[in-house]
């Protein structure tokens, strides 16, 4: 709470209170999710086209708890004249609030893994619009097939640990979690990225449940 007091010689009054967000607990079977395959134009300095890349990812489920390990599989087809330096797989947390005309947000990375390089060959030629359409369709099919073959995709294990806030959707406060797969290229060149929304739920009954230190406010 910020109380503004008029006058040059009067300081404002600020009061803070600590409270806890308690998310819901759901006992549901694991449900996998997929992002893509998505084909994006790879541009240098926003306007010089250097081809395109197709990226896709899957997770073994979308609802996790603290201490769980989330499996993420991904594939990338590089049909451009630029190299992929590395690909980052990360779980991100974004906490935001809105009250009246005021809003703020904070973001952090919960877990991340890095895969160096990409074995795909580069196409060192100019693509016509027909070439692009045919190659894009073929790349999407190839990525889809590879995502369903553990021997042909890349797999990352993300552990939900540390100071993690449970997913929450209220009228004032929102806590969102996303798994992102991002391929990093050279400076000033497009970095393809896909994301899957996941939910970090309250601990299951019988486990070490979180005990709030303040009264929970419904739909806050």
């Amino acid at each position: 709470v910020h109380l503004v007091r008029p006058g040059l010689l009067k300081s404002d009054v600020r009061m803070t209170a600590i409270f806890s967000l308690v998310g819901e607990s759901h006992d549901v079977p694991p449900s996998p999710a997929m992002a893509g395959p998505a084909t994006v134009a790879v541009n240098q300095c926003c306007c010089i086209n250097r081809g395109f890349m197709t990226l896709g990812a899957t997770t073994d489920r979308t609802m996790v708890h603290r201490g769980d390990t989330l499996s993420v599989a991904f594939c990338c087809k590089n049909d451009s004249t630029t190299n992929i330096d590395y690909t980052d797989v990360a779980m991100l947390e974004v906490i935001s609030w809105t009250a009246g005309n005021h809003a703020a947000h904070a973001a952090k990375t919960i877990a991340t893994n890095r895969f160096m390089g990409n074995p795909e060959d580069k196409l060192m030629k100019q693509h016509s619009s027909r070439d692009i359409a045919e190659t894009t369709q073929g790349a999407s099919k190839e990525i889809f097939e590879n995502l369903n073959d553990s021997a042909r995709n890349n797999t990352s294990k993300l552990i939900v640990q540390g100071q993690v806030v449970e997913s929450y959707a209220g009228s004032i406060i929102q806590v969102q979690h996303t798994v992102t797969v991002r391929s990093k290229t050279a400076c000033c060149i497009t970095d393809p990225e896909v994301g899957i929304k996941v939910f970090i739920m309250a601990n299951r009954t019988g486990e070490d449940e979180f005990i709030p230190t303040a009264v929970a406010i419904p739909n806050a």
Side-chain angles (χ1 to χ4, degrees):
V1 178
H2 182 191
L3 178 63
V4 180
R5 300 198 300 175
L8 296 177
L9 301 179
K10 295 182 179 180
S11 60
D12 296 345
V13 178
R14 297 176 183 269
M15 295 291 293
T16 61
I18 298 176
F19 64 93
S20 301
L21 290 175
V22 181
E24 297 181 4
S25 179
H26 296 272
D27 187 12
V28 296
S31 177
M34 175 180 288
T39 300
V40 298
V42 178
N43 296 326
Q44 182 176 10
C45 299
C46 301
C47 59
I48 304 174
N49 183 258
R50 302 190 63 176
F52 45 93
M53 295 184 189
T54 304
L55 184 64
T58 63
T59 60
D60 59 344
R61 60 194 187 280
T62 56
M63 291 188 177
V64 295
H65 303 78
R66 290 188 185 91
D68 284 354
T69 299
L70 184 67
S71 179
V72 183
F74 71 93
C75 294
C76 181
K77 184 71 167 62
N78 185 4
D79 293 312
S80 74
T81 59
T82 187
N83 285 320
I84 295 177
D85 295 334
Y86 56 84
T87 297
D88 280 340
V89 181
M91 181 181 294
L92 308 178
E93 177 182 273
V94 178
I95 303 175
S96 58
W97 63 265
T98 304
N101 296 324
H102 301 277
H105 75 277
K108 73 174 183 179
T109 300
I110 297 175
T112 184
N113 286 322
R114 176 166 292 182
F115 295 76
M116 302 303 298
N118 188 290
E120 296 291 347
D121 293 332
K122 298 175 293 180
L123 299 183
M124 307 296 291
K125 66 177 183 179
Q126 191 70 27
H127 297 283
S128 67
S129 58
R130 181 176 179 179
D131 291 334
I132 292 175
E134 292 178 351
T135 306
T136 298
Q137 183 177 3
S140 295
K141 181 180 179 181
E142 181 180 345
I143 292 294
F144 182 81
E145 293 174 349
N146 290 349
L147 285 174
N148 291 280
D149 186 349
S150 59
R152 299 166 65 185
N153 61 41
N154 303 280
T155 302
S156 172
K157 302 292 185 180
L158 299 178
I159 302 176
V160 184
Q161 60 185 356
Q163 297 296 320
V164 180
V165 181
E166 296 158 5
S167 300
Y168 190 87
S171 59
I172 298 175
I173 301 172
Q174 296 83 39
V175 183
Q176 297 181 331
H177 298 92
T178 307
V179 171
T180 63
V181 178
R182 179 172 179 260
S183 292
K184 183 68 178 69
T185 60
C187 178
C188 303
I189 298 178
T190 306
D191 295 332
E193 179 177 334
V194 294
I196 299 175
K197 188 174 182 180
V198 297
F199 300 88
I200 298 179
M201 313 306 296
N203 289 337
R204 305 177 185 89
T205 303
E207 297 183 359
D208 295 332
E209 296 187 356
F210 174 75
I211 301 177
T213 57
V215 177
I217 303 175
N219 299 322

